Amino acid sequence: INNLNLSYGDLDPSDTPPTMSIDKLFPALLECFGIILCGYIAGRANIITSTQAKGLGNFVSKFALPALLFKNMVLLDFGNVIWPFLWSILIAKVSVFFIVCVITLLVASPDTRFSKAGLFSIFATQSNDFALGYPIVEALYKNTHPEYLQYIYLVAPVSLMLLNPIGFAFCEIQKWRDQRDRQQSKLQIVGVVILQVLKNPMVFMVVIGIIFHFILAQKIPAFMEQFVDGLANSFGGAALFYLGLSMVGQLGKLTRSTVVALILLITAKLLVMPLICRETVELLDADNTSSNLEHSSLSNYAFLYGVFPSAPSVAIYAAHYNMELQVVTSGMVISTFLSAPIMYVSAWLLTIPWMDPKPLMDSLQNVSFNVSIISLVALAWTVTVMFLSKKFKRLPHMFTVNLFLAQILACVSMIMWNFVVRQDRFIGHMLTFTLLYGSLYSTYVWPGLIALSLVLMKSGGELKVAPGFLVIAGWGVPALVAAVLLVTGERMPDTIDSAFFYGRPQVRQTGERIRVCDNPCFNLSPLRVPGRLYLELQFFCAVINYGQGFISFGLFGLDKHLIILPFKKKISCLWHRRKPEEQPQLVVSDDIMMTCTQFIRYHKEQCVQDIVQQKRCGERTVADTFLGSELVEWLLQVGLSQDRGEALLYGVRLHQGGVLQHITQEYGFKDDNLHYFSVSQRHMMKKRSAIYQT
């Protein structure tokens, strides 16, 4: 995308330069998501436990953010506010809130419809405006439209005061319906909702900031300016780091029953919301701005604002009511990381004032080429892992390898197409096109066949039909479709886009020939000058088609027993600069021995009864064992630990003290599906004596 060269001297004189600084967007995205990744790694590596992270969250929400809001409310210049734009965003949020709420009430189960309606509507409308949205807006508009930054401080609190109370009311109604005695009256429910709103630091501090805006005449006194600035400036990095911490373990709560709801929610937040924001600005602000350029800039800004992902506070609301926690937390994580490419591509397309198809198609071809190269490397690694682990011999991984092969051929064909398309060779074009779309269509067929094979598999791991039939279908049907395309289509020599290289020309009533061709992702009819939304779909289509290797790598390329665990073991050896067998026996501290003694005396017997079972370890061995994750869950249930991080540390102490061991003594204690067994009391006394002698 960055290779697109558009000089403003080549544009039409009536066109004007873009109204946002796109060159600063990528560094801003890298800064934001880099800090989020650091927070996620810190939480994942248990450097900061979830209990410790709550302290950082309290600082961000109750000190740093209120100071930031107070400062900006006092300094806010209401004279530069374009009020129709503000009303447009609010109307868009109300519309999305109403749509999600009504659909949820109609579709959801009667037992949980009110809680889902309240929390899902809040999820679709409450954006992460301050931690993630503000740095992006600042990078794009600080030099061109700095007044746009103040809209974030106006829109977010007002939507909290208008929409969130409605969502809280639905949650309180659900809570009231779940109570058997139902002692709470309707007036008490209204009081609880009002109290929830007033307790929100964002709402409270916005009101205080507006009051002091008029009292202090838009100026913070000198004696408190540095104090407020110190707290306000600490918000950005701390909030992003806490956002990364809050994402740890959230995707593990996702279940098959919540996938559909999650897809619909993310679609409403990242696709429907920005489109409605843009259209409401187009309608309501058409006659109120001073120029068409400013009107276009505001509508583009509204679209980008709608792409901001959901705020982590929605997960806090779900945890407070103990309702729909799996969907909300998983959706928060997925929407956050999906918003980055959507924002980047959207902002890039919005900066193009002149939509010339040829340079755009060149850029689309370059994106497909670059993505194919990276995806090809990821697929080569994934296939190597499948063969080294010998999974390719078992079902359904036998068919999974065919899917990887189809993805590899699609990437190789796109790389070949980048060179063949620029040469006037009909046979080369035809062969490359056949290989490209035969393999690309095969990547669409194989996932369905893999799912079908799982359905047809017997309990013994054998298929009810011959595997050859599925292999023939996986490769034969796509090849037949590609052949039909070549036979029925007509070559379009004036395009380099493979999706529009063969098609059927149609004639309008004016006699003008236009292309209507088969696109592998969407069936679209491009006009002579394509629209921005169409181009955005084209770019995402190219990334999804030729970037399938990234998904395959994430699912199969990081084999736990072949890659991850040996890598961790090697890193541990390098860290200690000696081999494991050369390490002397460590002296156990008094704290560890005290933890082990208390556990053995008061908790071990009950723990053995609850989680130790006869389990198969390998093909023939059966032993009385338990999983590391089961011990973590038990420690949480009985209250010996407050979160999974503390439970993991507790288990590590028990392992170091000799209370439990890995079944092959190969690994330490981990919150994972590794088998452990409880060490007997006699063995414990011998080990403790040896430790004291050391």
Side-chain angles (χ1 to χ4, degrees):
I1 293 177
N2 292 324
N3 292 331
L4 179 62
N5 296 320
L6 286 177
S7 61
Y8 296 117
D10 298 334
L11 301 180
D12 186 81
S14 61
D15 292 322
T16 54
T19 55
M20 63 177 72
S21 303
I22 189 64
D23 56 327
K24 296 183 179 180
L25 176 60
F26 183 75
L29 289 174
L30 184 61
E31 173 192 358
C32 294
F33 286 90
I35 298 177
I36 292 173
L37 183 61
C38 290
Y40 180 81
I41 293 174
R44 189 69 177 178
N46 209 33
I47 299 174
I48 300 177
T49 64
S50 58
T51 303
Q52 296 168 343
K54 291 178 181 178
L56 179 60
N58 290 333
F59 168 76
V60 169
S61 61
K62 297 180 180 179
F63 290 93
L65 181 56
L68 182 68
L69 290 172
F70 176 81
K71 172 185 175 182
N72 285 274
M73 287 296 104
V74 172
L75 301 178
L76 185 64
D77 185 7
F78 288 99
N80 290 332
V81 177
I82 301 176
W83 295 105
F85 171 80
L86 186 61
W87 306 139
S88 301
I89 299 298
L90 293 179
I91 291 174
K93 285 198 169 190
V94 171
S95 302
V96 174
F97 189 96
F98 178 77
I99 292 172
V100 174
C101 184
V102 171
I103 294 177
T104 305
L105 289 175
L106 294 175
V107 176
S109 172
D111 297 333
T112 58
R113 63 172 57 172
F114 290 102
S115 62
K116 289 181 177 179
L119 290 172
F120 289 176
S121 300
I122 294 176
F123 179 92
T125 53
Q126 184 170 340
S127 302
N128 194 353
D129 297 323
F130 300 106
L132 189 58
Y134 187 86
I136 304 301
V137 175
E138 185 179 28
L140 288 174
Y141 293 103
K142 184 177 181 179
N143 297 330
T144 55
H145 290 281
E147 67 276 7
Y148 286 2
L149 299 175
Q150 63 188 356
Y151 289 114
I152 292 181
Y153 299 101
L154 291 174
V155 173
V158 174
S159 63
L160 289 177
M161 290 184 285
L162 290 178
L163 300 178
N164 281 17
I166 302 176
F168 294 152
F170 278 109
C171 293
E172 291 293 337
I173 292 174
Q174 184 68 56
K175 187 177 179 181
W176 175 75
R177 287 169 59 92
D178 293 340
Q179 294 176 353
R180 295 182 179 180
D181 49 3
R182 298 186 179 180
Q183 297 177 355
Q184 198 174 24
S185 64
K186 296 180 180 179
L187 184 61
Q188 289 176 323
I189 294 177
V190 175
V192 170
V193 171
I194 295 175
L195 182 63
Q196 286 280 351
V197 176
L198 294 179
K199 285 172 58 178
N200 193 316
M202 293 176 61
V203 176
F204 177 77
M205 195 53 64
V206 165
V207 175
I208 298 298
I210 293 177
I211 294 174
F212 278 90
H213 170 86
F214 297 100
I215 295 177
L216 301 177
Q218 293 184 249
K219 186 177 181 181
I220 300 177
F223 71 91
M224 62 180 303
E225 184 176 6
Q226 292 185 352
F227 168 74
V228 175
D229 286 344
L231 282 177
N233 294 336
S234 66
F235 172 77
L240 293 172
F241 193 86
Y242 173 70
L243 178 59
L245 287 172
S246 63
M247 291 181 176
V248 177
Q250 302 300 343
L251 289 180
K253 301 176 181 179
L254 187 62
T255 60
R256 288 179 294 180
S257 60
T258 59
V259 170
V260 176
L262 183 60
I263 293 175
L264 295 177
L265 277 179
I266 294 177
T267 302
K269 183 67 192 75
L270 299 182
L271 295 179
V272 177
M273 183 72 176
L275 291 175
I276 294 181
C277 287
R278 181 185 175 99
E279 292 304 318
T280 52
V281 172
E282 291 283 350
L283 292 174
L284 299 181
D285 191 55
D287 300 328
N288 292 280
T289 51
S290 58
S291 65
N292 292 331
L293 176 62
E294 186 176 0
H295 174 70
S296 176
S297 177
L298 284 173
S299 62
N300 293 342
Y301 174 48
F303 183 88
L304 289 174
Y305 178 84
V307 180
F308 293 161
S310 298
S313 56
V314 185
I316 298 176
Y317 302 150
H320 174 76
Y321 289 104
N322 195 21
M323 300 173 180
E324 312 306 327
L325 190 61
Q326 293 84 359
V327 179
V328 171
T329 53
S330 302
M332 183 266 295
V333 176
I334 297 175
S335 65
T336 298
F337 284 101
L338 282 181
S339 64
I342 295 176
M343 281 190 290
Y344 185 80
V345 175
S346 301
W348 175 77
L349 291 173
L350 293 174
T351 58
I352 301 177
W354 184 49
M355 306 298 288
D356 187 359
K358 184 159 189 327
L360 290 173
M361 290 301 103
D362 287 336
S363 296
L364 179 61
Q365 182 68 23
N366 291 334
V367 169
S368 302
F369 178 76
N370 295 333
V371 170
S372 298
I373 292 178
I374 302 176
S375 182
L376 184 61
V377 175
L379 286 168
W381 173 281
T382 306
V383 172
T384 303
V385 169
M386 292 291 288
F387 276 89
L388 291 178
S389 61
K390 299 181 180 180
K391 290 183 178 179
F392 70 98
K393 298 180 180 179
R394 305 194 303 266
L395 293 175
H397 293 304
M398 181 186 302
F399 302 127
T400 307
V401 173
N402 283 271
L403 172 62
F404 297 158
L405 180 59
Q407 293 172 349
I408 290 175
L409 291 177
C411 293
V412 172
S413 302
M414 174 48 63
I415 296 172
M416 294 171 55
W417 182 265
N418 188 68
F419 301 101
V420 172
V421 71
R422 306 182 190 280
Q423 302 176 2
D424 189 14
R425 295 180 180 178
F426 174 74
I427 297 179
H429 291 167
M430 184 180 65
L431 293 178
T432 308
F433 182 88
T434 304
L435 181 62
L436 174 59
Y437 281 94
S439 57
L440 194 59
Y441 293 148
S442 185
T443 62
Y444 305 152
V445 174
W446 273 114
L449 293 177
I450 293 173
L452 179 62
S453 67
L454 292 174
V455 175
L456 297 177
M457 282 180 63
K458 300 179 181 179
S459 58
E462 297 180 359
L463 278 176
K464 297 180 181 179
V465 298
F469 288 108
L470 297 182
V471 174
I472 294 174
W475 293 104
V477 173
L480 180 62
V481 173
V484 171
L485 269 178
L486 288 174
V487 172
T488 60
E490 180 179 335
R491 182 184 176 188
M492 303 294 178
D494 57 341
T495 181
I496 64 171
D497 187 1
S498 59
F500 301 111
F501 209 81
Y502 287 89
R504 296 192 310 273
Q506 292 185 355
V507 182
R508 291 177 176 172
Q509 293 181 354
T510 58
E512 180 186 0
R513 289 162 60 93
I514 62 172
R515 292 191 304 273
V516 179
C517 36
D518 179 49
N519 184 292
C521 203
F522 305 97
N523 290 323
L524 299 172
S525 301
L527 302 177
R528 185 178 297 276
V529 179
R532 286 189 175 95
L533 179 59
Y534 164 75
L535 285 172
E536 188 164 350
L537 293 175
Q538 276 289 85
F539 275 98
F540 279 112
C541 181
V543 173
I544 292 173
N545 278 331
Y546 306 111
Q548 297 181 51
F550 302 132
I551 302 176
S552 301
F553 175 79
L555 294 176
F556 298 96
L558 300 176
D559 185 88
K560 181 176 67 174
H561 298 287
L562 186 65
I563 304 295
I564 297 178
L565 294 180
F567 180 76
K568 288 183 178 180
K569 189 175 181 180
K570 187 66 176 178
I571 291 296
S572 178
C573 294
L574 293 176
W575 181 264
H576 293 93
R577 296 185 178 180
R578 62 184 68 188
K579 296 182 180 180
E581 57 268 19
E582 296 176 353
Q583 292 182 358
Q585 188 175 13
L586 299 178
V587 178
V588 181
S589 65
D590 293 337
D591 292 339
I592 295 177
M593 296 308 301
M594 183 179 298
T595 301
C596 295
T597 302
Q598 291 177 349
F599 179 82
I600 293 172
R601 181 175 300 174
Y602 301 108
H603 307 290
K604 180 180 178 180
E605 183 177 354
Q606 185 63 42
C607 180
V608 170
Q609 293 178 3
D610 292 342
I611 66 174
V612 175
Q613 299 175 358
Q614 280 197 348
K615 296 183 179 181
R616 181 175 296 277
C617 308
E619 296 182 359
R620 298 181 179 179
T621 306
V622 178
D624 293 330
T625 62
F626 58 92
L627 301 179
S629 58
E630 292 176 343
L631 178 60
V632 169
E633 294 288 348
W634 186 87
L635 292 172
L636 293 173
Q637 291 176 3
V638 300
L640 290 177
S641 302
Q642 297 183 6
D643 56 61
R644 300 192 75 89
E646 290 187 2
L648 176 61
L649 295 177
Y650 196 103
V652 170
R653 286 189 171 191
L654 295 180
H655 179 268
Q656 293 176 349
V659 178
L660 58 90
Q661 289 184 6
H662 183 255
I663 192 169
T664 62
Q665 300 184 8
E666 186 178 359
Y667 304 105
F669 181 77
K670 300 180 183 300
D671 182 9
D672 205 342
N673 294 329
L674 296 176
H675 291 269
Y676 297 89
F677 66 92
S678 174
V679 181
S680 65
Q681 187 71 19
R682 181 180 300 177
H683 184 78
M684 271 288 303
M685 295 300 297
K686 291 182 178 180
K687 183 172 183 179
R688 183 179 300 179
S689 176
I691 291 174
Y692 283 145
Q693 290 177 6
T694 303

